[in-house]
Amino acid sequence: MADEQNLVFVTVGTTSFDRLVETASSPTICEVFKRLGYKKLLLQIGRGEFEPETCSTGQFTVEYYRYKESIADDIRRASLVISHAGSGTTLEALQAGRHLIVVINEDLMGNHQFELAKQLAKDNHLYYSTCSSLQDVLEDQDLSNLVPFPPGNPKVFGSYMNSVMGLSDK
């Protein structure tokens, strides 16, 4: 499936991260997306309670779904992926070569997801934010400065995860 130019794909995985869905689909953030040249917002909302309003104005479209067997096609079609900080989704977006903003769930601070996002941002593979700082990251960061993630090698990634989590590589 070819890239769909100007698509923002937001995913929360199988979790409930209503605050991210609410933030990403808010009128303020949708205006930022439009200013940045995006034409469509597609949200995968998981098991959350919040359901965004869908719309299609001709200039900008908002759609959502809860689950699919695989989100790989949506990731590949996207110009920008905004994701919860799950390691599987993060790795999938990076391996697909997508620009990625990882949004940390502030209710889960202090967990491995934040550490992974912080290290990958330090290595210039992605940007990270909280829901409250997403607008600033969208407006202030240049996605073209991100460095492509090296092609997948499970041993290298496992070693990387171990180092981020402070575990031995044995």
Side-chain angles (χ1 to χ4, degrees), residues 85-88 110-120 156-169:
S87 58
N111 66 22
H112 71 279
Q113 293 182 350
F114 175 69
E115 295 303 318
L116 177 63
K118 191 165 104 176
Q119 183 62 50
L120 288 169
V156 171
F157 184 71
S159 178
Y160 181 77
M161 284 294 295
N162 285 342
S163 71
V164 167
M165 296 176 69
L167 301 174
S168 168
D169 212 18

Side-chain angles (χ1 to χ4, degrees), residues 19-33 41 43 50 52 60 62 134-135:
R19 188 153 180 233
L20 173 55
V21 174
E22 288 180 62
T23 301
S25 64
S26 72
T28 301
I29 297 294
C30 286
E31 282 301 317
V32 172
F33 290 145
L41 172 63
L43 302 112
F50 179 79
F60 194 74
V62 177
L134 180 59
Q135 181 175 348

Side-chain angles (χ1 to χ4, degrees), residues 81-145:
V81 175
I82 298 175
S83 174
H84 71 116
S87 58
T89 305
T90 299
L91 181 59
E92 189 172 1
L94 290 173
Q95 287 181 330
R98 300 298 93 188
H99 290 139
L100 177 61
I101 298 173
V102 168
V103 179
I104 306 300
N105 187 339
E106 295 165 294
D107 295 334
L108 303 175
M109 290 301 274
N111 66 22
H112 71 279
Q113 293 182 350
F114 175 69
E115 295 303 318
L116 177 63
K118 191 165 104 176
Q119 183 62 50
L120 288 169
K122 181 179 172 187
D123 294 340
N124 294 315
H125 297 303
L126 56 77
Y127 293 115
Y128 73 90
S129 74
T130 59
C131 289
S132 58
S133 66
L134 180 59
Q135 181 175 348
D136 292 335
V137 170
L138 286 166
E139 293 178 327
D140 298 340
Q141 301 301 326
D142 184 351
L143 295 173
S144 68
N145 290 333

